[in-house]
Amino acid sequence: MPELPDLEVFSKHLQKKLKGKKLKALSKAGSWKKDFLRQPLKKVYREGKELRFLFGNGHILGLHLMLHGKLVYEEKDSKPAHTVFSLQFDDGSTLSVTDWQKKARITPDPQLSEVPDALSRQFSAAYLKKLLAGSRAKVKKLLIDQHVIRGIGNAYADEILYEARISPFSIAEKIPEEASARLARAIKKVLKDAVKKIEKDHPDIIAGEVRDFMRVHQHGKEKSPGGKKIEHAEMNGRTTYYTEEQTEYT
């Protein structure tokens, strides 16, 4: 599943490709379709793990790719295999969403969330400190909970915790204030650095997951940059990558 840095880059590239084009056809059925047809696309941006398409009349389409959804852009009318829905523009170009599981979803005028995005101003060291306090959850589980922080997924949670040198198995309320502040800094740094890296190395990417630069969450990698063995464990049905360099607070 694409995570925050991937989607942030996708949104920038889609903005360049699609801005100003008018929506000619929308394959998804619904009485709300009329709100979007013949409207110019004003902006493409990211909210949490979703992409948002803002049209000239103020209406927004929200897109969640879920686990296997992918974007395919072609400068012609097309329907790739496993297309779930598509947006066709007045110049003939088409943006399709494919998903062999058919789980990718599109939402007209999605509601604003009160949960802060991981790269928003609302997400601060003070917010994280308050979030950790009184929680008996393991810190990694908390980081990927979209009901408390939006945008962080399994892979980047591992990278963030490695950067902060905090074990993913640490109990949230046991993490001391200094380590909490370090974690807040790590969240911003890891995500922003990843956006820059993906954008530089993949100037046109709008689909897939780029993971080859990750320091610990990388299949087949045996040692961290610090030379320690990368361990693997299952947590909530997902593989967690970590090393002994990370302190466990319990």
Side-chain angles (χ1 to χ4, degrees):
M1 176 187 291
E3 295 186 29
L4 186 156
D6 304 298
L7 294 169
E8 187 73 20
V9 176
F10 295 174
S11 70
K12 292 180 180 181
H13 294 165
L14 289 170
Q15 170 84 355
K16 293 176 184 177
K17 294 176 184 293
L18 302 175
K19 184 180 179 181
K21 295 185 179 184
K22 290 185 178 181
L23 190 62
K24 179 181 178 181
L26 178 64
S27 66
K28 192 72 173 178
S31 60
W32 47 266
K33 185 189 296 188
K34 64 182 185 299
D35 296 329
F36 298 90
L37 295 180
R38 295 178 294 281
Q39 290 296 318
L41 184 61
K42 187 176 180 180
K43 185 179 181 181
V44 183
Y45 61 101
R46 179 196 58 78
E47 279 284 341
K49 288 187 176 182
E50 293 189 357
L51 291 173
R52 300 282 169 88
F53 298 80
L54 172 64
F55 288 85
N57 60 358
H59 284 287
I60 298 171
L61 280 179
L63 169 62
H64 199 305
L65 294 171
M66 303 302 287
L67 191 60
H68 296 291
K70 291 185 178 180
L71 293 165
V72 179
Y73 175 75
E74 294 189 80
E75 294 183 354
K76 61 181 180 179
D77 185 6
S78 64
K79 189 175 181 180
H82 307 298
T83 294
V84 180
F85 45 83
S86 60
L87 289 76
Q88 185 178 11
F89 296 93
D90 57 349
D91 65 347
S93 62
T94 305
L95 180 67
S96 303
V97 180
T98 67
D99 184 357
W100 62 270
Q101 284 191 324
K102 299 187 182 301
K103 295 289 183 67
R105 63 173 187 259
I106 194 166
T107 306
D109 295 319
Q111 293 184 341
L112 293 175
S113 175
E114 295 182 357
V115 177
D117 183 274
L119 286 183
S120 68
R121 292 181 179 179
Q122 291 73 26
F123 181 77
S124 63
Y127 176 86
L128 180 61
K129 179 182 176 182
K130 184 177 179 180
L131 187 64
L132 297 175
S135 174
R136 293 289 303 169
K138 292 178 180 178
V139 66
K140 181 178 177 180
K141 183 178 180 181
L142 206 63
L143 289 181
I144 63 176
D145 184 348
Q146 303 303 302
H147 294 96
V148 293
I149 308 172
R150 289 184 296 134
I152 302 173
N154 188 54
Y156 280 97
D158 286 348
E159 292 296 297
I160 287 165
L161 288 166
Y162 177 76
E163 171 71 21
R165 295 300 191 269
I166 297 173
S167 167
F169 308 105
S170 297
I171 302 302
E173 67 176 7
K174 300 296 184 180
I175 297 175
E177 186 172 348
E178 184 276 330
S180 172
R182 194 167 67 243
L183 178 58
R185 292 192 298 271
I187 289 171
K188 301 283 190 181
K189 182 180 187 305
V190 167
L191 296 176
K192 288 180 178 180
D193 286 353
V195 170
K196 292 177 182 177
K197 178 68 174 174
I198 296 170
E199 193 168 19
K200 178 182 177 182
D201 294 349
H202 303 272
D204 294 311
I205 192 171
I206 61 167
E209 304 170 354
V210 182
R211 302 286 185 263
D212 56 1
F213 60 89
M214 289 190 163
R215 294 177 294 175
V216 291
H217 192 104
Q218 193 173 149
H219 181 70
K221 190 170 186 176
E222 296 182 353
K223 292 185 177 181
S224 72
K228 299 299 182 181
K229 180 183 177 182
I230 297 175
E231 306 285 353
H232 312 95
E234 290 297 310
M235 184 184 293
N236 301 317
R238 301 175 183 179
T239 304
T240 292
Y241 295 72
Y242 64 100
T243 79
E244 65 178 31
E245 298 158 282
Q246 297 165 246
T247 301
E248 183 172 348
Y249 299 99
T250 57

